[in-house]
Amino acid sequence: MRRWNYFLPALMLTLALSACAPAGTQTSPPPSGQPSQGPGPSNTERAAPSWDETDWSGHLELDYAQSFAVDYSPEGYKRITIDTETYLVVPELAPVPEGTPEDVTVLRQPIQNIYLQATAAMDCFRKLDALDAVTLVGTDAAGWYLPEVKEAMAAGRMAYAGKYSAPDYELLQARGCGMALESTMIYHNPEVKEQLERLGIPVLVERSSYESHPLGRMEWVKLYGVLLNREEEAGAYYEEQLARLEPVLERENTGKTVAFFAVTANGMVTVRKPGDYIAKAIGLAGGVYALNGLGGEENALSTMNIQMESFYEMARDADILIYNSAIESALDSLEQLVDKSPPLAEFKAVREGNVWCTGKSMFQESQSAGEMMLDIHRILTEGHGADGSLAYLYRLT
């Protein structure tokens, strides 16, 4: 059975509360996310701990994610590290530890009225049944494909508060914004981040897209469990997804080749780099990424544009083509695909009818990595028989 180290701090907190309770009394740990109501000093009365003397011996166990880490203290504080940034999650009514460094971003619980600009993070809130924590978004209603978000915006439970480079500061203040959840695009506009912080709105920069392993991206649901005091729910959801994938991951590779691509308006082909999570997901699902020999500049981008001639040489004999509708508009037929680029008519997968297309919502559903791998596995093993039974892919005919 997998060990979850985030249960350790709860036990340590229980022991600490018991030790400081008056003789003859009993204490119990408070419900997740709630201040203690039992005997002994309340959160408003306890002295602020020292940052330098805080015991961070509790840790959140991670399997694949490499872009964040979480440490716990016996007093219930949580220290999050994302790349070079450090965040301190402070329990409700608890004091900020004395000596907390100025470069540590303090997040006070409960974290509410979140301004969510990192669209990939929304799916984690969906899976944790915590959409009510997000009331402000950086994408207007037309840009969302998630039905729950479109419904919330139509009902006024979520409001568009401007894009990452030009947020509506007055609206954020009026709504009592508790945190701005940004993508790394915010680093292109550092003055916006500084202004948000001047207004007392802490900024957390999300980096799940930097995870090269598809299951690492999926594991970011645990981070949002930490922020929302829903570690148990996040861990259970993640384990459930791993259990569903286990039969696929244990099978031998089929040896069939798969190319994942899109054709731009100027005829270039947008492909994923071999180290990208999509390429790895294809391998885990039992396929071979057809562009594994692709070179190119090493940078943070997961995609690159190549000439059709180069794509033709590498992917014309691929067993399966998957068209990425998130780059360009979705397709309805093979005829539309060939119209975008006539050389595609000569590809093996086009001739044999093994061309599939992603749904527009797939990349907003960051927790879809496991389901996408199951879809790819079905295509590899069932062929045309998988048509109509998939979650995120459909076949072009």
Side-chain angles (χ1 to χ4, degrees):
M1 180 177 294
R2 193 177 299 273
R3 294 176 295 105
W4 294 340
N5 287 351
Y6 47 72
F7 291 130
L8 176 61
L11 175 60
M12 299 173 70
L13 178 60
T14 302
L15 296 175
L17 289 172
S18 299
C20 65
T25 64
Q26 294 182 344
T27 62
S28 59
S32 179
Q34 300 297 320
S36 174
Q37 301 297 324
S42 68
N43 281 329
T44 56
E45 296 172 341
R46 61 171 159 164
S50 167
W51 173 271
D52 291 334
E53 297 177 0
T54 299
D55 174 12
W56 297 110
S57 57
H59 308 289
L60 175 66
E61 182 175 311
L62 298 172
D63 295 325
Y64 297 97
Q66 298 181 341
S67 298
F68 78 94
V70 180
D71 305 311
Y72 295 90
S73 79
E75 298 84 6
Y77 295 90
K78 307 171 187 181
R79 183 179 64 186
I80 300 171
T81 304
I82 303 176
D83 194 32
T84 60
E85 303 288 340
T86 301
Y87 305 86
L88 176 67
V89 181
V90 178
E92 186 175 6
L93 303 181
V96 176
E98 293 182 355
T100 297
E102 292 184 1
D103 61 350
V104 173
T105 300
V106 175
L107 304 172
R108 288 188 171 275
Q109 291 180 321
I111 302 174
Q112 300 172 327
N113 295 321
I114 295 171
Y115 166 51
L116 188 147
Q117 189 278 321
T119 55
M122 186 69 84
D123 201 32
C124 294
F125 288 86
R126 286 205 312 161
K127 301 306 183 189
L128 296 176
D129 193 23
L131 283 177
D132 57 346
V134 180
T135 57
L136 302 151
V137 292
T139 301
D140 61 22
W144 287 102
Y145 301 102
L146 305 178
E148 297 92 337
V149 177
K150 294 178 76 70
E151 179 185 347
M153 295 191 74
R157 296 191 299 275
M158 289 185 191
Y160 176 60
K163 61 182 182 179
Y164 76 94
S165 59
D168 186 335
Y169 297 112
E170 291 186 4
L171 179 60
L172 295 180
Q173 286 186 293
R175 293 290 187 95
C177 179
M179 182 181 77
L181 181 54
E182 302 277 350
S183 73
T184 55
M185 293 294 290
I186 193 66
Y187 291 133
H188 295 292
N189 296 84
E191 71 282 359
V192 173
K193 184 173 183 290
E194 293 169 3
Q195 178 63 12
L196 288 168
E197 292 169 340
R198 277 196 293 270
L199 295 174
I201 300 173
V203 178
L204 186 146
V205 181
E206 212 259 12
R207 295 179 65 89
S208 64
S209 62
Y210 286 73
E211 298 286 352
S212 62
H213 198 290
L215 299 182
R217 287 192 170 205
M218 214 165 64
E219 201 165 15
W220 271 70
V221 71
K222 293 182 180 180
L223 175 72
Y224 298 103
V226 169
L227 295 174
L228 301 169
N229 280 334
R230 299 192 183 193
E231 283 102 325
E232 185 174 354
E233 294 91 330
Y237 169 79
Y238 175 75
E239 293 293 330
E240 178 186 349
Q241 301 311 302
L242 290 188
R244 294 185 64 213
L245 284 170
E246 188 173 357
V248 172
L249 300 178
E250 290 178 346
R251 293 191 180 184
E252 293 185 4
N253 194 284
T254 65
K256 294 181 180 179
T257 51
V258 181
F260 192 95
F261 76 107
V263 180
T264 68
N266 62 4
M268 298 290 286
V269 182
T270 303
V271 298
R272 315 295 291 205
K273 294 180 179 178
D276 175 61
Y277 85 103
I278 291 287
K280 292 185 177 180
I282 290 170
L284 291 170
V288 177
Y289 186 52
L291 284 77
N292 272 334
L294 189 67
E297 180 184 0
E298 288 295 328
N299 53 39
L301 296 176
S302 60
T303 63
M304 63 184 296
N305 289 337
I306 62 176
Q307 297 286 344
M308 174 53 73
E309 290 82 356
S310 299
F311 184 66
Y312 182 92
E313 290 299 320
M314 301 186 74
R316 64 181 174 183
D317 293 324
D319 295 298
I320 294 169
L321 295 181
I322 300 178
Y323 191 82
N324 181 8
S325 67
I327 302 295
E328 299 291 330
S329 59
L331 301 176
D332 296 319
S333 67
L334 282 175
E335 183 180 0
Q336 286 184 338
L337 175 65
V338 174
D339 284 345
K340 291 180 73 70
S341 184
L344 289 169
E346 302 176 25
F347 281 52
K348 173 186 175 182
V350 175
R351 297 195 311 268
E352 297 180 355
N354 278 321
V355 182
W356 306 75
C357 189
T358 67
K360 293 289 288 184
S361 68
M362 193 180 87
F363 291 94
Q364 285 188 5
E365 299 187 55
S366 61
Q367 292 298 303
S368 69
E371 199 68 54
M372 181 185 67
M373 288 163 58
L374 291 173
D375 278 4
I376 295 173
H377 179 75
R378 292 189 188 105
I379 291 171
L380 289 166
T381 56
E382 300 174 24
H384 295 177
D387 196 13
S389 65
L390 307 175
Y392 296 107
L393 303 176
Y394 61 92
R395 190 166 69 93
L396 297 181
T397 58

